[in-house]
Amino acid sequence: MTDEGMEKESTMTNPTGRALGVPGFSGNYDIEWNWSPARFYEAAVQNEGAEIAKGGALVVKTGKHTGRSALDKFVVRDDVTENDVWWEATDHISPEQFDALRTDFEAHMKDLKLYGQDTFGGADPEHRLPVQIITEYAWHGLFVHHLLRQPEADELKSYKPEYTIINLPSFRANPAKHGVRSETVIAVNMKDKIVLIGGTSYAGETKKSVFSIMNYLLPEKRVMPMHCSVNVDDNDNGAIFFGLSGTGKTTLSANPDRTLVGDDEHGWSENGLFNFEGGCYAKMIRLTADSEPEIFATTSMWGTVLENVVMDPVTRELDFDDATLAENSRGAYDLTAIPNASPTGRCGQPKNLIMLTADAFGVMPPIARLTPQQAMYHFLSGYTAKVAGTEKGVTEPTATFSACFGAPFMPRHPVIYGELLRDLIAEHDVKCWIVNTGWTAGPYGTGYRMPIKATRTMLNAALNGELNGAEYRRDPNFGFDVPVAIEGVDSALLNPRGTWSDPSNYDAQAQKLVSMFIENFAKFEAQVTDDVKAAAPAAA
C-alpha cells in the first residue's frame, strides 16, 4: 500500500447533513462524507480507543462479536422477495417489523456522529452496485474504504446510490418489537434497498451485506456471484478458487507467477471475471512471515486495520499466536498492499476452476478433473471437514457442507447458482478440478496433511495445461478422473488408498464419506437434472 494511495484525499466534499434519500431516513444527521484514510485514522485513535502498532497498523477490538452473527440476520419477506429467496435457509421478518426497526434506527442516528461513504460493489462498470454506507465508527469507515471500491472524481459528480447500509454498533434491537432473536440485528430489505446492522462491532458484517445483495441481484442478469478468489496469467486467462475456511483459498491463489484479482468475492459476467471488492480481509491468527509473507507484510503497514490482534502495550509488537481476544482475528487492507495485485480488479474469461476441500477423512485424491455436471454437484455440496479438537465435543473428523461454498450469503436457492455455474463452464470450456488440501495416509490424527509444495505443483500443472494430455484413472468412489502421474509429485500421493497401511480401512472410510455426500445432496435432488444426479459419488 503506497503512501500516495493511502493519503489521497477524497474528491467529494459533500456537506455534513446530506440527506440520505432513502425511505424513512429523510432527516438531517451529523454525517461526515467521504473522508480520507488519514482522517479516519485520527478519529479512531482520538475517539474510539484504537491504537497504533509498530509499523503503523491500526489496532482495534470488536468486543463480544468477533465474527459474523449468522443467527441474527433476517431478510424482509414481502411481495418482492417471496418467490425469490430460499426461505428454508433464510430467516425473515415482516415489513411491519422492519418498519419499527427503521424508525428506531432513525431516532438513534440523530444522537450520533456518523461517517458516510459513496462506494461501488464490483469492478465491472456494467454490473457494479452503487452502495452508500453509513458507519458509527471511524475505523469502520476505514474498513469500508479498503474493502469497497471507491468512485473516481468524475464518477462522484453523478453518483447515485442504489442501496444504503447503516451500521450502528451502539444500537440495541428489541426482539419482541422487531421480530429478531437478540439485541444484535442484520436486517435486509430488498424492496426499499436498505440494510440495517446494529449491536455488533464486527466490521465484516458490512462487506458481507454487500456480497449478499449482489448475490441476490446478479443472477437475474445472468452474472454468477461467487465466494472465491481469482488470479490470472499473463495471457489474461483467469482461474477461480472456491473453498471454505481452512482449505487454502487465499494461500493458493497467491501465486508469484500470476496476478491476484481478488481473494474473496467475485462475479463472472459476459465480460469475464471481476472482483466485488477493493481490498482484502485476511485471517491473522498464527500468521507468520514464512507461511504468508505478503499478508504478513501488511501488518506493519500504515493503513491496515487489525481486528482483535493482541499487541504489547509498551513495545507495540503484535502477537499473532495469542487468541485471547479472538480465534478469528482479522486484518483489512487495500488490495494495493499486495504485490502483483490487479489494479483493475478484472480479467478475462476463466480457463480453470478449482474447488478446494480439506478432507480430514483422508480419502479424497489430492487433485481430480471434474465434468461440468460433477462441478455442479460438488459446488452445491460445498464440502470440507472439521478436524478433532476444533470445537468442543468434536472427537473425529466432521463433514461440513456449505452450498455454493458460501450458503449464508446466497439468498436464492442454491440450484439457481449451480445451474448458472454449469452453463458458464460449458459456454467457456472451463477445465474444472477438485483439490484436496487435507489429509492422506489416514484421517486426521493418523495420516498427514497434504504437502503444500506438492499441492502447488499439482495446481500449476493444471493451470499451465500440463494435465490436459495426462493419463487418468477413474476414482471408484467419487467417479472423477485422477492423474496417474504429475512431474515433481510423488505418484503415491495420487492414489490415496495406497497410502493407507490397511486399504480395507480406507474403503470403509471412503464409503462413510460417500454416504455423507448422498445424504446432504438429498435436499437438492428434486431441483437438479438427471445428469447432475448421476454425478453423485457411488455407494457400495
Side-chain angles (χ1 to χ4, degrees):
M1 187 180 317
T2 64
D3 291 342
E4 179 183 358
M6 288 304 305
E7 294 289 359
K8 184 173 64 176
E9 289 290 332
S10 169
T11 52
M12 181 113 175
T13 56
N14 291 329
T16 295
R18 185 182 97 180
L20 295 181
V22 292
F25 293 93
S26 57
N28 290 324
Y29 313 99
D30 184 5
I31 303 178
E32 300 285 356
W33 285 94
N34 294 307
W35 270 15
S36 67
R39 297 187 75 184
F40 283 130
Y41 241 66
E42 185 177 64
V45 172
Q46 288 179 347
N47 305 323
E48 297 165 5
E51 298 177 294
I52 299 175
K54 182 178 180 181
L58 192 72
V59 179
V60 298
K61 298 181 178 70
T62 64
K64 68 176 182 178
H65 292 284
T66 60
R68 291 188 307 106
S69 298
L71 296 179
D72 294 311
K73 181 179 179 180
F74 301 85
V75 175
V76 176
R77 191 166 187 168
D78 54 24
D79 57 337
V80 169
T81 58
E82 178 62 39
N83 297 320
D84 292 331
V85 171
W86 190 29
W87 296 113
E88 293 176 33
T90 306
D91 288 320
H92 67 273
I93 56 176
S94 69
E96 293 75 21
Q97 289 167 328
F98 184 87
D99 287 343
L101 182 67
R102 170 168 39 195
T103 297
D104 291 344
F105 254 72
E106 200 270 345
H108 191 73
M109 286 172 64
K110 291 182 176 179
D111 298 325
L112 300 175
K113 181 177 181 64
L114 301 167
Y115 306 91
Q117 290 183 76
D118 298 319
T119 73
F120 289 117
D124 186 333
E126 293 185 39
H127 300 296
R128 66 188 181 184
L129 181 72
V131 186
Q132 66 179 355
I133 299 178
I134 312 300
T135 62
E136 178 181 353
Y137 291 164
W139 75 263
H140 275 196
L142 181 58
F143 174 92
V144 168
H145 193 279
H146 290 332
L147 269 296
L148 275 296
R149 306 192 71 86
Q150 304 301 312
E152 299 293 336
D154 58 338
E155 295 172 331
L156 281 169
K157 295 176 182 177
S158 58
Y159 182 91
K160 293 182 179 180
E162 292 185 23
Y163 276 77
T164 298
I165 297 175
I166 302 174
N167 189 329
L168 309 179
S170 67
F171 180 86
R172 297 293 180 264
N174 182 332
K177 183 178 182 181
H178 303 134
V180 298
R181 288 192 175 91
S182 71
E183 292 184 336
T184 300
V185 61
I186 302 96
V188 183
N189 188 322
M190 296 295 189
K191 186 174 186 176
D192 288 347
K193 301 182 178 182
I194 303 169
V195 179
L196 303 178
I197 303 171
T200 172
S201 297
Y202 179 67
E205 296 288 10
T206 299
K207 96 176 190 93
K208 288 303 183 185
S209 293
V210 175
F211 187 37
S212 295
I213 294 168
M214 297 191 75
N215 291 343
Y216 177 78
L217 297 174
L218 289 179
E220 291 188 344
K221 303 169 69 176
R222 203 172 178 272
V223 177
M224 177 69 190
M226 303 175 292
H227 183 211
C228 69
S229 56
V230 169
N231 65 24
V232 61
D233 66 15
D234 292 339
N235 295 315
D236 203 29
N237 297 317
I240 297 167
F241 294 79
F242 289 108
L244 298 173
S245 179
T247 58
K249 177 165 58 77
T250 299
T251 299
L252 293 172
S253 61
N255 186 325
D257 297 323
R258 299 173 67 87
T259 298
L260 179 68
V261 177
D263 80 330
D264 200 38
E265 298 164 5
H266 293 81
W268 183 357
S269 76
E270 72 279 7
N271 303 319
L273 304 175
F274 62 98
N275 194 353
F276 286 174
E277 302 177 314
C280 301
Y281 192 38
K283 285 188 175 181
M284 294 286 121
I285 193 68
R286 289 177 285 279
L287 181 70
T288 68
D290 291 335
S291 65
E292 302 277 6
E294 294 178 339
I295 296 176
F296 188 86
T298 69
T299 66
S300 58
M301 292 182 182
W302 187 93
T304 297
V305 180
L306 297 176
E307 287 182 325
N308 302 314
V309 174
V310 174
M311 179 182 70
D312 186 294
V314 177
T315 66
R316 301 288 163 149
E317 296 278 355
L318 300 168
D319 186 349
F320 299 104
D321 294 323
D322 191 335
T324 301
L325 295 176
E327 180 72 22
N328 188 40
S329 56
R330 292 271 179 168
Y333 45 88
D334 194 274
L335 199 61
T336 59
I338 299 295
N340 206 33
S342 166
T344 66
R346 304 191 300 275
C347 70
Q349 297 294 344
K351 295 297 182 185
N352 289 277
L353 184 153
I354 297 99
M355 297 183 189
L356 300 169
T357 183
D359 175 30
F361 293 89
V363 299
M364 297 191 77
I367 189 168
R369 184 176 61 187
L370 307 177
T371 65
Q373 294 76 22
Q374 288 172 331
M376 180 175 173
Y377 183 95
H378 285 277
F379 178 72
L380 290 177
S381 298
Y383 165 70
T384 192
K386 296 177 182 178
V387 299
T390 57
E391 292 184 7
K392 185 177 181 181
V394 178
T395 58
E396 61 179 20
T398 305
T400 298
F401 296 95
S402 182
C404 310
F405 293 95
F409 320 115
M410 303 293 184
R412 298 178 184 270
H413 195 286
V415 171
I416 299 293
Y417 305 104
E419 289 179 340
L420 181 53
L421 182 73
R422 180 191 59 188
D423 292 347
L424 288 171
I425 288 169
E427 181 178 333
H428 297 286
D429 191 25
V430 179
K431 300 291 189 299
C432 298
W433 312 89
I434 192 164
V435 172
N436 175 22
T437 61
W439 279 258
T440 192
Y444 172 81
T446 301
Y448 57 88
R449 191 79 188 253
M450 205 68 68
I452 184 67
K453 183 178 179 180
T455 299
R456 287 191 181 279
T457 300
M458 288 182 278
L459 270 175
N460 287 337
L463 295 177
N464 64 26
E466 180 184 331
L467 297 186
N468 291 348
E471 179 185 356
Y472 289 86
R473 67 173 179 85
R474 181 65 54 86
D475 184 276
N477 298 296
F478 291 92
F480 36 53
D481 294 332
V482 182
V484 173
I486 300 175
E487 185 176 352
V489 177
D490 182 355
S491 294
L493 283 176
L494 296 170
N495 187 356
R497 188 175 188 269
T499 65
W500 283 54
S501 59
D502 185 342
S504 65
N505 286 342
Y506 170 88
D507 294 338
Q509 187 84 324
Q511 280 301 302
K512 179 180 178 181
L513 182 58
V514 164
S515 67
M516 292 177 185
F517 267 90
I518 294 172
E519 180 181 357
N520 172 73
F521 202 81
K523 58 181 173 285
F524 302 127
E525 286 191 343
Q527 289 84 26
V528 300
T529 54
D530 289 341
D531 57 345
V532 175
K533 294 177 188 176

